[in-house]
Amino acid sequence: MTWTIAPEPHDSPAAAALWRAYYTEVSDRWYLLHEGRRTAPEELERGIAARTGAELGPPTGRLLLGRYDGEPAGSAGVRLLGPDTAELTRVFVTEGMRGRGGAALLVAAAEDAARALGATALVLDTRGDLVEARALYARLGYTETAPHNDDPYAEHWFRKELLEPVNRP
């Protein structure tokens, strides 16, 4: 069983299903932590619809889907913020596929995609309660930095200078 990672249209059925799973998980975690409840269905639908992912398409972005043994199991997206800086977003691996190396592979593929778009640095934001994400980014060479946006849910900002790609098997 192996991972394959390839570009995917943001509105494909597989991409839409992974976005729904991602958004549901992070939204529920936030509401459970702050309000002791899961996301209400209407809030969930509003949030999913508000962020379609269209900015993750060519020519200034890419959405990557990771498949494990052919089944959609994760995603990562990049989009240019400026001529040499891209943002990493939507890094997600489904619960049943975690611990199999997919997140690191998705981030590496996103870094390659950012380089292909002309970026020399990658930035991202995340929340304090997403400790697994923060640990992943630190392990992959991202360092905490000053905020690069004013997202109301962002609590930690990271940056990585992109070196030339390493030959991967």
Side-chain angles (χ1 to χ4, degrees):
M1 309 249 184
T2 59
W3 284 96
T4 57
I5 299 171
E8 182 90 11
H10 76 278
D11 56 355
S12 76
L18 285 167
W19 171 232
R20 177 172 288 281
Y22 169 89
Y23 192 85
T24 300
E25 183 173 325
V26 298
S27 183
D28 279 351
R29 281 179 74 161
W30 191 90
Y31 277 110
L32 285 167
L33 179 65
H34 296 282
E35 296 184 14
R37 65 173 178 92
R38 293 197 179 282
T39 312
E42 64 277 2
E43 292 168 314
L44 187 64
E45 294 308 317
R46 246 190 338 269
I48 290 169
R51 299 182 73 184
T52 66
E55 73 280 5
L56 302 177
T60 58
R62 296 291 180 278
L63 178 65
L64 303 166
L65 238 64
R67 287 179 168 79
Y68 190 81
D69 197 28
E71 293 299 317
S75 65
V78 293
R79 68 183 180 112
L80 286 176
L81 296 180
D84 61 354
T85 303
E87 181 180 39
L88 177 64
T89 186
R90 292 195 187 192
V91 176
F92 175 71
V93 174
T94 59
E95 189 173 357
M97 294 294 120
R98 293 177 188 159
R100 299 174 191 212
L105 291 172
L106 282 159
V107 172
E111 290 171 359
D112 289 345
R115 282 186 201 91
L117 292 170
T120 58
L122 205 49
V123 296
L124 65 95
D125 65 69
T126 190
R127 297 190 327 232
D129 63 307
L130 300 176
V131 294
E132 306 91 343
R134 291 183 15 239
L136 171 72
Y137 300 132
R139 182 169 49 89
L140 297 178
Y142 289 78
T143 55
E144 284 213 51
T145 187
H148 64 269
N149 63 27
D150 59 359
D151 184 319
Y153 295 104
E155 298 170 318
H156 296 270
W157 294 263
F158 289 83
R159 180 181 181 92
K160 182 177 183 179
E161 300 302 319
L162 298 175
L163 305 174
E164 290 301 312
V166 178
N167 288 335
R168 293 191 236 300

